Amino acid sequence: MASLAGMLPGFLTEIETNEGICKIIGFYFVASLAVHFLSGVVSSMSLPHYNEYAPSSKEVSKHRKKIGKPMTKPELAAYKTKKQHDWNMTVESGFSSLAMTIMYLFCFNELYLNGTVEDHWAKCTVLSTHAISLHLAASLYETVIYLVTDKALEFYAHHVLVVISCGSFLFLGKGHLWCCWLGLVEGSNPPLCAVT
């Protein structure tokens, strides 16, 4: 992994300061937004259903009961936009979860299988810092998309817990092994993204 770290721009290897870590998180957050945007461009050109999202008859009926009139054109456009954001978030989450899982596996190998007992708690590496930073950035990105798509409050709970727990490991510089081990659950996301 030392050779990989050598290929990164300087600001992505500054893991000793909170400012450096925040830059890494910011980098991954912007990268997540870029993948979201790219997913929209590629999907609009290659997937017919992406441009034709429309509410189901059940959703239309529910809206009519709630509001008392059919959906207006702006409401239909807002529905389509929310569905497109959901799709783009699913695509981005699949990729970021896969990347996180691979990084977490390498970290688990380095910190646990090849590390000392002291390393289990005290050691943090460039890769573990990047893995946890990506996890935080992905949670922040998904929270922003939830705000844009008016998700219910219960969707935010998971991300609050991720930010608190991963953030504490990351900014204290301790327990990276345990955070990486727990982060391996993100490996279940790509298959879930494939079926949603």
Side-chain angles (χ1 to χ4, degrees), residues 2 6 8 18 28 32 50 78 84 92 94 96 98 116-117 122 126 148 160 172 177 189 194:
L8 295 172
N18 287 345
Y28 284 121
S32 294
Y50 184 82
Q84 289 171 331
E92 192 287 332
S96 64
L98 182 62
T116 66
V117 172
V126 171
V148 170
V160 169
L172 291 174
L177 164 68
N189 284 347

Side-chain angles (χ1 to χ4, degrees), residues 52-176:
E52 298 169 5
Y53 280 118
S56 66
S57 57
K58 184 178 178 181
E59 290 170 311
V60 170
S61 175
K62 183 179 176 182
H63 176 81
R64 189 176 295 227
K65 284 180 185 176
K66 183 178 178 182
I67 306 296
K69 57 184 179 178
M71 293 178 108
T72 63
K73 285 187 179 185
E75 289 170 330
L76 288 169
Y79 177 89
K80 177 181 170 182
T81 300
K82 286 180 184 183
K83 289 295 189 180
Q84 289 171 331
H85 280 304
D86 281 341
W87 169 261
N88 295 336
M89 184 179 68
T90 299
V91 170
E92 192 287 332
S93 295
F95 285 118
S96 64
S97 293
L98 182 62
M100 260 183 267
T101 302
I102 292 167
M103 289 164 47
Y104 281 148
L105 282 169
F106 278 101
C107 292
F108 183 77
N109 179 59
E110 180 179 355
L111 297 173
Y112 185 73
L113 300 176
N114 294 319
T116 66
V117 172
E118 178 66 23
D119 290 345
H120 294 177
W121 177 250
K123 187 174 182 181
C124 64
T125 66
V126 171
L127 188 59
S128 67
T129 300
H130 274 267
I132 299 168
S133 295
L134 175 56
H135 202 154
L136 281 170
S139 289
L140 294 172
Y141 154 78
E142 289 179 9
T143 300
V144 167
I145 300 304
Y146 288 172
L147 289 168
V148 170
T149 59
D150 293 328
K151 291 285 188 185
L153 191 58
E154 61 268 14
F155 285 89
Y156 297 87
H158 166 78
H159 294 97
V160 169
L161 292 173
V162 166
V163 169
I164 290 170
S165 50
C166 288
S168 62
F169 287 119
L170 186 61
F171 289 105
L172 291 174
K174 303 283 185 201
H176 279 215

Side-chain angles (χ1 to χ4, degrees), residues 16-67:
E16 290 82 23
T17 66
N18 287 345
E19 182 181 340
I21 292 170
C22 288
K23 287 179 183 178
I24 295 169
I25 295 168
F27 170 79
Y28 284 121
F29 178 78
V30 170
S32 294
L33 291 174
V35 171
H36 182 96
F37 176 76
L38 186 61
S39 170
V41 170
V42 171
S43 297
S44 67
M45 294 185 323
S46 60
L47 301 172
H49 78 276
Y50 184 82
N51 296 314
E52 298 169 5
Y53 280 118
S56 66
S57 57
K58 184 178 178 181
E59 290 170 311
V60 170
S61 175
K62 183 179 176 182
H63 176 81
R64 189 176 295 227
K65 284 180 185 176
K66 183 178 178 182
I67 306 296

